[in-house]
Amino acid sequence: MNAKVHELLNQQINKEFYSAYLYLDFSNYFEAVGLDGFANWYKIQAQEERDHAMLFYTYLQNESQTVTLDAIAKPDKTFTCHMDVLKAGLEHEEYVTSLINDIYAAAYDVRDFRTMQFLDWFVKEQGEEETNAHDLITKMELFGSDPKSLYMLNQELAARVYSAPSLVL
């Protein structure tokens, strides 16, 4: 495997674990303000991110590549309102999309078709993640100022259940 591609894939493990930490931080915020449905949504989001990290980890191991685990940064944002959290979530997903695109571009440059195929699932997944983040913002803009509607939205998010990614390595 090309050294740059290997390095970017290895860094992505850390970025995905950071994403899990970030979403747990979001969950903490919503739990503290009494929106347990929102907290649930982000706890499940954190589980997904941990699984994404493990997919990168397993891929590198399956390719006989060394995995180096670095320290995971502490989330450093402070939120003053619900919308700040949701907008930070969208911003973060757009950032992760840029990271996946960078790895894909590096793999393309060296004709690493196996890594490109592996990343195809993540490209699709990031599209879904950005859509979900946009949808949460839209729903909050529509319903967040009305307590009854916010309650219903919170109930909708409380119903989310975890399902592991279907990517086969």
Side-chain angles (χ1 to χ4, degrees):
M1 180 179 286
N2 173 273
K4 180 179 179 183
V5 172
H6 175 243
E7 178 183 354
L8 290 171
L9 288 166
N10 203 81
Q11 288 172 0
Q12 192 62 29
I13 296 169
N14 181 275
K15 301 294 186 184
E16 297 292 341
F17 279 128
Y18 173 79
S19 296
Y21 270 35
L22 182 66
Y23 290 140
L24 286 175
D25 197 40
F26 290 4
S27 181
N28 284 338
Y29 167 85
F30 283 116
E31 198 69 49
V33 298
L35 291 171
D36 59 336
F38 283 80
N40 174 67
W41 199 91
Y42 280 110
K43 281 180 199 168
I44 290 172
Q45 202 61 26
Q47 287 177 295
E48 283 189 6
E49 302 304 339
R50 287 189 306 261
D51 278 353
H52 295 170
M54 292 308 298
L55 288 169
F56 282 98
Y57 176 91
T58 301
Y59 178 73
L60 284 175
Q61 285 189 330
N62 287 348
E63 295 297 308
S64 300
Q65 298 297 310
T66 303
V67 174
T68 304
L69 299 175
D70 293 322
I72 301 167
K74 177 183 175 183
D76 62 354
K77 294 188 187 255
T78 303
F79 303 107
T80 57
C81 71
H82 311 331
M83 188 61 83
D84 286 347
V85 179
L86 302 181
K87 287 181 178 179
L90 174 59
E91 180 183 305
H92 184 72
E93 288 301 339
E94 291 170 341
Y95 169 67
V96 173
T97 297
S98 75
L99 296 172
I100 299 296
N101 290 343
D102 290 347
I103 303 168
Y104 202 102
Y108 177 82
D109 288 345
V110 296
R111 302 295 197 243
D112 183 348
F113 300 112
R114 192 173 331 175
T115 297
M116 290 164 55
Q117 182 181 28
F118 168 71
L119 292 171
D120 283 342
W121 183 87
F122 287 95
V123 170
K124 181 178 180 275
E125 176 71 7
Q126 281 310 118
E128 292 171 8
E129 297 290 8
E130 287 186 28
T131 297
N132 289 339
H134 275 288
D135 288 350
L136 281 176
I137 291 169
T138 299
K139 288 177 181 180
M140 184 60 83
E141 287 172 343
L142 290 170
F143 309 120
S145 61
D146 174 54
K148 290 178 185 175
S149 297
L150 181 59
Y151 175 81
M152 295 298 291
L153 179 56
N154 189 61
Q155 293 302 107
E156 175 186 322
L157 297 177
R160 183 180 185 196
V161 295
Y162 180 70
S163 66
S166 59
L167 177 64
V168 177
L169 298 177

